[in-house]
Amino acid sequence: MHTKNKTLGEFIIENQTDFQYSTGELSKLINAIRLAAKVVNHEVNKAGLVDILGDAGDTNIQGEDQKKLDVLANEKFIQTLKNREIVCGIASEEEDHFISINSHDENHQNKYVVLIDPLDGSSNIDVNVSVGTIFSIYRRITPVGTPVQLEDFLQPGNQQVAAGYVIYGTSTMLVYTTGNGVNGFTLNPAIGTFYLSHPNMQFPENGKIYSVNEGNYIHFLQGVKDYIKYCQMEEGDRPYTSRYIGSLVSDFHRNMIKGGIYMYPKSSVTGNGKLRLLYECNPMAFLAEQANGVAIGGKNRILDIVPKELHQRVPFFCGSKNMVLKLQEFLAKYH
């Protein structure tokens, strides 16, 4: 079958054997995420027509105002994963605690946990900027047949069996990896089917885009400040272009296609930064490494960090290999 005509469902079936536990469960899990993504995509696309914009009047565990679409996306993904009875637990950025799931006909027999950011970049909803969903999948480490425990979720990112994101933009794409490269699928809204549109996605080794909230420049560590000044210098192929959307999925997606670096450093105001290790950094780092990129939290690899809590925040830098390595040189001067 020609690549451009291959559906996500067909791709999953063809590549099941690439996954070391090829029992079909992971395929069902990716399909459940695909289904929930289509439902959320429908809601995102009609956001300007019905009353689902604006605050829901509550805050999440992070103390951030929840948007109505945040709440809807969270409910849809949790409901879909529960109904399919293929996971033993779910942790969401929008929930205080993880959710333990016992299948109806078996006793805690499912083997996977999902960690999810249901609607990344939600502060951009009201201004019609692209938002997304980020997901991360692990195989449980506690015994099958028992309720899922916190340690099943607090695994380092190098133990992920799959990760990906959905970007709800001018076109809707689902991008994911199971540890054998990164592939992107674009939704045909007329028939509701995802088609393989971006096979074997790769970060260019060099890029010309740096993505950071420069409004916080004064609060950054000196190494990050020096790197930003380096990006702005008129020398060789520089200055680089500054592009920052404020939606991790959108910034990451653009940089993977065009070449660039994304930065959310620690600062004197935000401490360890704003991004969550489990819901944002680990899945994006897994994707980056599978796409010839690099992801670090400073001097260390993101995927080697052992999480201490569900909503832990860490500094995050990822993107084109040579750009991240150059940043690391600047950071090393001040360690």
Side-chain angles (χ1 to χ4, degrees), residues 7-229:
T7 68
L8 174 57
E10 290 164 342
F11 183 87
I12 290 171
I13 292 169
E14 284 182 17
N15 292 275
Q16 266 191 132
T17 54
D18 286 345
F19 180 60
Q20 59 176 321
Y21 309 107
S22 54
T23 60
E25 290 172 288
L26 185 70
S27 300
K28 292 176 184 175
L29 186 42
I30 298 292
N31 275 319
I33 290 170
R34 173 184 65 172
L35 175 62
K38 287 197 286 188
V39 174
V40 173
N41 175 69
H42 177 70
E43 299 298 335
V44 168
N45 285 338
K46 71 178 186 182
L49 301 175
V50 295
D51 183 28
I52 57 174
L53 288 179
D55 296 336
D58 203 353
T59 57
N60 62 16
I61 184 64
Q62 307 298 326
E64 300 164 330
D65 290 338
Q66 286 184 306
K67 303 292 184 178
K68 292 182 181 179
L69 202 51
D70 281 23
V71 177
L72 183 144
N74 189 48
E75 290 173 351
K76 291 300 180 185
F77 274 99
I78 290 174
Q79 178 186 343
T80 303
L81 291 168
K82 276 184 173 180
N83 290 347
R84 291 296 183 94
E85 296 186 6
I86 46 178
V87 295
C88 56
I90 304 169
S92 167
E93 184 184 302
E94 302 296 337
E95 301 287 337
D96 294 10
H97 308 289
F98 67 85
I99 301 167
S100 180
I101 299 171
N102 185 15
S103 55
H104 295 155
D105 55 345
E106 298 174 354
N107 185 26
H108 300 286
Q109 293 300 305
N110 297 324
K111 302 178 181 69
Y112 296 101
V113 296
V114 174
L115 297 99
I116 193 160
D117 180 353
L119 208 64
D120 173 75
S122 56
S123 60
N124 285 321
I125 293 171
D126 287 350
V127 291
N128 205 22
V129 171
S130 296
V131 294
T133 296
I134 306 173
F135 63 90
S136 177
I137 301 171
Y138 294 81
R139 193 171 171 88
R140 69 180 300 175
I141 55 176
T142 54
V144 173
T146 63
V148 70
Q149 301 295 325
L150 181 60
E151 58 259 42
D152 292 310
F153 298 93
L154 298 185
Q155 299 185 55
N158 55 35
Q159 296 302 304
Q160 290 174 99
V161 297
Y165 60 83
V166 183
I167 182 168
Y168 310 106
T170 49
S171 60
T172 295
M173 283 188 65
L174 189 153
V175 177
Y176 84 103
T177 182
T178 57
N180 291 280
V182 177
N183 293 279
F185 302 80
T186 300
L187 178 66
N188 179 342
I191 56 177
T193 302
F194 283 96
Y195 287 96
L196 179 60
S197 55
H198 294 66
N200 191 28
M201 299 179 76
Q202 299 266 305
F203 273 96
E205 286 203 348
N206 297 291
K208 296 196 66 174
I209 298 171
Y210 69 98
S211 308
V212 64
N213 185 352
E214 292 184 74
N216 291 329
Y217 176 89
I218 192 68
H219 305 298
F220 293 157
L221 297 176
Q222 191 59 47
V224 177
K225 290 180 179 179
D226 289 355
Y227 178 73
I228 291 173
K229 289 303 181 188

Side-chain angles (χ1 to χ4, degrees), residues 248-260:
L248 173 59
V249 167
S250 301
D251 282 312
F252 180 96
H253 186 73
R254 180 204 53 239
N255 289 352
M256 179 161 58
I257 292 172
K258 295 191 172 184

